[in-house]
């Protein structure tokens, strides 16, 4: 088999890249180690920046998002028992975010890919990027007991944090930067109406909480929990009781509880790989960087990476120019580090740090007080939250 771009991983980065390349007339194959249902079963991001919305439109996968997505003009910060609204729309000259789940984004991208008849190999095992430092890279994998090989011009490593592409990069050419946080997020999805129209980010003595949503009838909530907690330790009742304790009286009274559709714990981590290109292999999305979810940036960074990458490949094939592929890593990393900074900052301001003591708590309160009462402070939060412009 031969293709122009072999994409490893059918998460949002791989699927979006495949569709953007297809629209630019560039042939591609996606190789994924899991089944499509398994990929769709992962409940993750909920907030899309305008840049991501625009790329989904360009990919032709925006129809259902336009009908069912929820545009949001603000968020609320809850601290010292009171909620304060950050007017994203007013503070950024009319920008907003779209609340639309990663599961739906992935489903829409899978559907348009299937409609176009493009090849995705699911349940491939032992996937290997090979010879990417030569000009004849290949992807090898096993399926149904047979070894297959795809010859290609380029490999896109869209295989997430635990993937094979970053692990296959020459160790003397790669540098990684990492920060691990001493807590995780316990998430719960339920068919209950959201507690508030806006997302609520809560800093409380008992730890961080986030009230998010997927639709007018489906809610997504998160609680900061110690890393030692197991999801089996948390009954639905215990989750709702703890969430109530972390809300203000009005939200507590409005909270509608119900059985969980999904419950899982995710550790929080900041991680960056430099560079994001190794010869003819390019890393994109979580394969190259991870942010804690507090700033809602992970999926959005994945989207902007593949936006740059599809542009670079288009320049290569249409204009015979390597300028885009040569610029790719540096261009992405400028944006990545700003999102890393924002996500780290939001995480630091909103969570309870077990070993940092009361001084830290007081500084957090002062910072939150500053952010909500200073136009400069709230504008800085707002412009990062809606997404910095592409460079
Ligand atoms: P993914 O989604 O991990 O997909 C990678 C795919 O590669 C496959 N794979 C392989 N395939 C072939 N061979 C191998 N050797 C392979 N190894 C792995 C995997 O099976 C998978 O299908 O990475 P991608 O596409 O880069 O997408 C990144 C996003 O998933 C991630 O950044 C976001 O979910 C992060 N995130 C959020 N991002 C936002 O922008 N806004 C949010 O509101 C937001 N909330 C979140 C989040 C992540 C969370 N968790 C669970 C980490 C909330 C949570 C709780
Ligand atoms: C979500 O809805 O899953 C979500 C929303 C905002 C975040 C993180 C996750 O910051």
């Amino acid at each position: 088999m031969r293709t122009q771009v072999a994409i490893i991983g059918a998460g949002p980065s791989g699927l979006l890249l495949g569709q953007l390349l297809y629209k630019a007339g560039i042939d591609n194959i996606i190789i994924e180690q899991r089944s499509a249902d398994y990929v769709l079963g992962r409940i993750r991001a909920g907030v899309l920046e305008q840049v991501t919305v625009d790329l989904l439109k360009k990919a032709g996968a925006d129809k259902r998002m336009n009908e069912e997505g929820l545009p949001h003009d603000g968020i609320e910060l809850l601290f010292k028992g009171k909620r304060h609204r950050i007017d994203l729309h007013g503070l950024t000259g009319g920008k907003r975010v779209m609340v639309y789940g990663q599961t739906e984004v992935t489903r829409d991208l899978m559907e348009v890919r299937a409609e176009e008849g493009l090849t995705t190999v699911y349940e491939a095992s032992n996937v290997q990027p090979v010879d990417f430092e030569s000009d004849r890279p290949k992807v090898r994998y096993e399926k149904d007991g047979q070894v297959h090989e795809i010859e290609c011009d380029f490999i896109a490593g869209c295989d997430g944090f635990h993937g094979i592409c970053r692990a296959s990069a020459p160790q003397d050419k790669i540098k990684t930067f990492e920060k691990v946080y001493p807590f995780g997020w316990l998430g719960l999805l339920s068919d209950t109406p959201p507690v508030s129209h806006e997302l609520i980010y809560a800093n409380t003595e008992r730890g961080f909480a986030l009230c998010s949503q997927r639709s007018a009838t489906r809610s997504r909530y998160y609680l900061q929990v110690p890393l030692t907690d197991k999801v089996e330790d948390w009954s639905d009742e215990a989750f709702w009781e703890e969430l109530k304790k972390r809300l203000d009286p009005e939200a507590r009274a409005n909270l509608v509880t119900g059985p969980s559709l999904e419950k899982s714990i995710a550790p929080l981590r900041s991680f960056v790989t430099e560079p994001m290109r190794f010869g003819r292999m390019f890393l994109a999305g979580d394969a190259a960087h991870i942010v804690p979810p507090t700033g809602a940036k992970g999926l959005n960074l994945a989207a902007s990476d593949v936006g740059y990458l599809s542009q670079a490949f288009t320049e290569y094939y249409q204009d015979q120019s390597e300028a885009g592929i040569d610029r790719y890593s540096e261009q992405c990393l400028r944006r990545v580090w700003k999102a890393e900074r924002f996500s780290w900052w939001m995480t630091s301001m909103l969570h309870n740090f077990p070993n940092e003591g009361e001084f830290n708590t007081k500084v957090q309160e002062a910072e939150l007080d500053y952010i909500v009462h200073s136009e400069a402070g709230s504008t800085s939060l707002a412009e990062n939250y809606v997404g910095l412009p592409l460079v």
Side-chain angles (χ1 to χ4, degrees), residues 109-160:
L109 286 165
M110 281 179 177
E111 274 176 22
V112 287
R113 188 166 179 86
E115 277 163 23
E116 306 294 1
L118 306 178
T119 310
T120 312
V121 181
Y122 283 102
E123 298 179 277
S125 56
N126 214 355
V127 180
Q128 296 285 341
V130 281
D131 295 341
F132 49 83
E133 294 200 283
S134 78
D135 55 7
R136 305 197 58 188
K138 298 168 200 70
V139 175
R140 229 171 259 148
Y141 64 93
E142 289 166 29
K143 171 119 181 148
D144 303 327
Q146 285 197 329
V147 178
H148 301 259
E149 195 168 270
I150 302 175
E151 291 180 10
C152 55
D153 299 331
F154 300 105
I155 297 173
C158 298
D159 51 347

Side-chain angles (χ1 to χ4, degrees), residues 44-47 185 199 201 210 212 214 220 222 293-296:
R44 290 182 171 176
V47 176
W185 278 20
L199 269 61
Y201 289 81
L210 169 61
S212 182
R214 292 291 177 271
R220 179 72 169 160
Y222 295 97
T294 328

Side-chain angles (χ1 to χ4, degrees), residues 40 61 64 68 100-110 214 218:
L40 285 173
R64 204 158 58 94
E68 297 175 18
Y100 189 63
Q102 177 166 334
T103 314
E104 308 314 317
V105 171
T106 309
R107 193 191 310 279
D108 296 347
L109 286 165
M110 281 179 177
R214 292 291 177 271
R218 183 167 286 188

Side-chain angles (χ1 to χ4, degrees), residues 7-15 31-35 38-39 42-49 52 102 106 121-122 124-128 157-165 185 187 199 201 210 212 214 220 222 264-267 284-303 305 385:
I7 301 172
I8 303 185
S13 343
L15 288 164
I31 308 104
E32 162 64 49
Q33 68 176 3
R34 304 284 190 175
S35 68
Y38 183 95
V39 173
R42 291 191 287 236
I43 311 293
R44 290 182 171 176
V47 176
L48 309 182
E49 296 175 0
T52 307
Q102 177 166 334
T106 309
V121 181
Y122 283 102
S125 56
N126 214 355
V127 180
Q128 296 285 341
C158 298
D159 51 347
F161 184 62
H162 300 287
I164 188 67
C165 293
W185 278 20
L199 269 61
Y201 289 81
L210 169 61
S212 182
R214 292 291 177 271
R220 179 72 169 160
Y222 295 97
S264 52
I265 295 184
D286 279 16
H289 40 71
I290 294 282
V291 286
T294 328
K297 290 285 165 254
L299 172 60
N300 292 302
L301 275 185
D305 286 355
Y385 194 88

Side-chain angles (χ1 to χ4, degrees), residues 150-216:
I150 302 175
E151 291 180 10
C152 55
D153 299 331
F154 300 105
I155 297 173
C158 298
D159 51 347
F161 184 62
H162 300 287
I164 188 67
C165 293
R166 191 182 69 251
S168 304
Q171 293 309 300
D172 57 332
K173 293 190 182 152
I174 189 166
K175 185 162 167 58
T176 57
F177 304 82
E178 183 167 35
K179 184 173 177 66
V180 176
Y181 300 86
F183 40 72
W185 278 20
L186 167 67
L188 180 147
L189 186 73
S190 64
D191 271 335
T192 52
V195 67
S196 152
H197 168 68
E198 308 278 39
L199 269 61
I200 305 174
Y201 289 81
N203 166 304
T204 83
E205 278 172 2
R206 302 182 67 88
F208 171 78
L210 169 61
C211 304
S212 182
Q213 56 198 256
R214 292 291 177 271
S215 70

Side-chain angles (χ1 to χ4, degrees), residues 342-358:
F342 177 65
S343 308
W344 158 82
W345 173 71
M346 287 282 278
T347 305
S348 309
M349 180 168 71
L350 290 165
H351 290 74
N352 207 325
F353 283 75
N355 301 320
E356 302 271 342
E358 285 177 333

